[in-house]
Amino acid sequence: MLSHNGIYSDAAIYAYTILPVTIPTGGGVPFIPVPSTPPVHKDDGVITPDEEELLKLIDTAAGQVVPIDSNVNPDIKQWTLQLSGSLIQKAAAKQKALEIRAAGVQLLLPPDFLVVKDGEEQVQLQTAVHQNVLAARTRALPAAELVSSIFDFSLLVGENRVSIFNNPISVTFDFDDKKVKNTNRLAVYYYDESLKQWQYVGGTVQSNHTVTAELSHFSMYAVMESTKTFTDIAAHWAKEEIESMAGRHIIDGVTDQLFQPEQMVTRAQFVTLLTRALQLPAAASGPSNKFKDVPNDAWYSSSVYAAYEANLVSGVDESAFAPEEPITREQMAVLIVKAYLYRHNLKLSDLITTQEVKYEDEGAVSVWARASVRLASGLSLMSGDQEKRFNAENHTSRAQAAVVLFRLLTK
């Protein structure tokens, strides 16, 4: 028990001595900490980086990307990046990409996107930022809602405008998540001046409220959320997946208003949808006489042979594909597992499923399809009916195809 001023208490008493702060000095000049100030943004929108410093970074940077500091006001409505032709040449020679971020957009310029013959020429990347179609002086939007600014890009080498790049530029657009109802319906669109309408580009939605797309030319670009729907799917169990795939321009309606979800899908139709979903490069023609029933002038020929070249499809025998035959559920299981491996750059031996799904009619699944049916089910790409039957020989409907493709692209 302690006594303090005549009062007894169990509390301890602490005494503090406050000493004056000693400020270290050097050379007779006192060091006084100065609070940091926010960066001063440039308001004229002209970005002229220190090229000597950039050239050093191109020479010495360990990574393959050299960042350019824009230092412009985040709300600026127009900005221009100015680089010398010699810097572009040096980046190409050293295989270094240049990256710049400003006012809601990031551009990654690969080392071989542009050939500059004269190092003395100036390269200008110009961007104007608009908030709506009226400000951008474009026609009305497609069946979609604008969820980002509209970016009008142009590229000049000297006095000459560059319309097409040697290799695509990767561009990442910010979008306003408060305006978005369903991220599965987001995509990048560009404005086609000749047609006076917005065209679908696509892109990959990132977790940080951005969408990244590969652009082969400059124009006006924006992120939009598709509102496309069909009158005959209002109460359909696959409504969300159908709308998402239609919004991504992977699957179309039979008319502008009708989808016909229960209509069967042929083998050619499903492979075409799969080719679009995976964005496979189109094949001009197939190997000589590979599939005798897939003529080179058929509407599905390039898709069938693109999938064949990607090792996704084979025929019903060595020389026939049966393009007009309805695709069965077990055939779709084989294709969708191969597509999953292709999309994730995996081998069959890499797949490990923690969920084993058993069906009442497993014995009815063809031997050549059983492993794929198990994997497609274990990966939640396909499922059975309410009676736990897979129905291997049943034909696939347009709704089922949309759902399977949706699952492929979201897993």
Side-chain angles (χ1 to χ4, degrees), residues 121-357:
E121 287 189 306
Q122 187 179 64
V123 177
Q124 296 186 74
L125 194 164
Q126 301 173 343
T127 304
V129 185
H130 308 290
Q131 298 308 312
N132 53 60
V133 292
L134 292 178
R137 297 180 180 179
T138 69
R139 299 284 179 87
L141 300 177
E145 297 288 341
L146 186 68
V147 296
S148 76
S149 300
I150 297 173
F151 298 90
D152 189 357
F153 301 114
S154 59
L155 183 66
L156 297 175
V157 177
E159 299 297 323
N160 299 315
R161 186 179 296 271
V162 177
S163 56
I164 298 177
F165 313 131
N166 289 346
N167 282 292
I169 290 176
S170 179
V171 182
T172 299
F173 302 86
D174 293 355
F175 64 82
D176 186 348
D177 64 307
K178 297 182 181 65
K179 295 181 179 179
V180 175
K181 299 180 180 67
N182 188 337
T183 56
N184 289 316
R185 300 182 189 178
L186 294 181
V188 174
Y189 292 73
Y190 85 95
Y191 190 69
D192 188 319
E193 290 284 357
S194 61
L195 297 176
K196 301 299 180 186
Q197 64 184 25
W198 288 90
Q199 302 281 8
Y200 178 85
V201 175
T204 302
V205 180
Q206 312 290 349
S207 58
N208 59 344
H209 308 313
T210 62
V211 180
T212 300
E214 302 293 315
L215 310 185
S216 59
H217 63 87
F218 273 162
S219 179
M220 277 187 276
Y221 289 85
V223 180
M224 302 183 195
E225 181 177 1
S226 169
T227 56
K228 179 65 179 175
T229 191
F230 302 96
T231 57
D232 57 351
I233 64 167
H236 198 276
W237 61 272
K239 178 178 184 292
E240 179 179 346
E241 292 89 345
I242 292 169
E243 289 176 343
S244 177
M245 293 298 94
R248 295 192 196 188
H249 292 235
I250 291 171
I251 195 165
D252 301 315
V254 295
T255 70
D256 189 53
Q257 298 296 321
L258 296 176
F259 185 76
Q260 293 189 1
E262 304 311 319
Q263 180 177 302
M264 63 119 185
V265 178
T266 67
R267 286 169 53 82
Q269 288 170 342
F270 186 78
V271 169
T272 299
L273 299 177
L274 199 60
T275 301
R276 290 178 190 167
L278 295 175
Q279 298 181 340
L280 298 180
S285 62
S288 178
N289 298 323
K290 175 56 188 174
F291 297 128
K292 294 180 179 178
D293 55 356
V294 180
N296 287 336
D297 59 353
W299 65 266
Y300 48 79
S301 173
S302 63
S303 295
V304 169
Y305 285 120
Y308 176 78
E309 290 177 3
N311 295 317
L312 299 182
V313 301
S314 56
V316 292
D317 59 38
E318 290 186 359
S319 61
F321 183 76
E324 302 297 343
E325 290 294 316
I327 189 168
T328 64
R329 285 175 49 80
E330 64 180 3
Q331 289 172 345
M332 184 168 64
V334 173
L335 285 178
I336 210 67
V337 169
K338 288 183 178 180
Y340 182 89
L341 295 173
Y342 179 92
R343 183 167 185 265
H344 296 283
N345 195 24
L346 297 172
K347 300 188 295 292
L348 192 60
S349 58
D350 296 328
L351 289 183
I352 299 175
T353 59
T354 58
Q355 178 183 357
E356 185 177 359
V357 180

